[in-house]
Amino acid sequence: MKKFFLLFLMAFLFIGCSSNDDTIYDYVGTWSGTYDGSDKGVWNIVVDTNGKVVGTMHSDVNQENYNISGNLSETGDLNASVGLPSEGDFKGKLGTDKKGSGNWSNSIPTPARSGSWKGEKK
């Protein structure tokens, strides 16, 4: 019975251990890149140790800056808003390989704009 218990315990420990050691610290820092679609330009965000994201998008077409604010999960899922003077989304995935990509949309000013973005950690 002791051997069975030890075997069960070892199997439980082996299964319970995960190789997914991602933490928010893998993503903390400055990220930047480009975006394109119905508008194009550059973007820059900073991820803090709590997963808070702040930054800007600069439109090469309109010569305007848009604020980015949101959150990043411990698995690198980015969920942010684009605002002032616009209203939209900046969503995607940041990777532990220091590369990121996703989609953006902006409903103001009309007509609505959207596209994709890509970048990397600096």
Side-chain angles (χ1 to χ4, degrees):
M1 186 71 166
K2 269 187 175 179
K3 289 181 183 179
F4 179 73
F5 176 73
L6 288 175
L7 183 61
F8 178 74
L9 181 61
M10 296 274 285
F12 179 75
L13 290 174
F14 181 77
I15 293 170
C17 293
S18 171
S19 63
N20 185 2
D21 292 333
D22 293 344
T23 67
I24 200 70
Y25 297 105
D26 294 326
Y27 310 103
V28 170
T30 302
W31 294 72
S32 61
T34 59
Y35 69 94
D36 58 19
S38 49
D39 192 358
K40 66 177 186 164
V42 296
W43 60 269
N44 184 1
I45 60 171
V46 176
V47 179
D48 75 10
T49 56
N50 295 318
K52 183 178 177 185
V53 174
V54 294
T56 58
M57 286 174 67
H58 175 75
S59 170
D60 292 341
V61 175
N62 298 323
Q63 296 301 311
E64 291 182 322
N65 291 319
Y66 308 106
N67 294 328
I68 299 172
S69 63
N71 293 293
L72 185 75
S73 74
E74 289 184 356
T75 57
D77 295 315
L78 176 62
N79 187 12
S81 298
V82 177
L84 299 175
S86 300
E87 191 170 312
D89 295 314
F90 193 85
K91 296 182 178 187
K93 181 89 170 167
L94 302 181
T96 55
D97 63 351
K98 298 185 179 184
K99 296 185 186 297
S101 62
N103 297 305
W104 65 272
S105 65
N106 237 343
S107 60
I108 300 173
T110 55
R113 301 176 208 158
S114 63
S116 61
W117 60 265
K118 63 181 177 179
E120 59 188 30
K121 185 176 179 184
K122 300 298 177 191

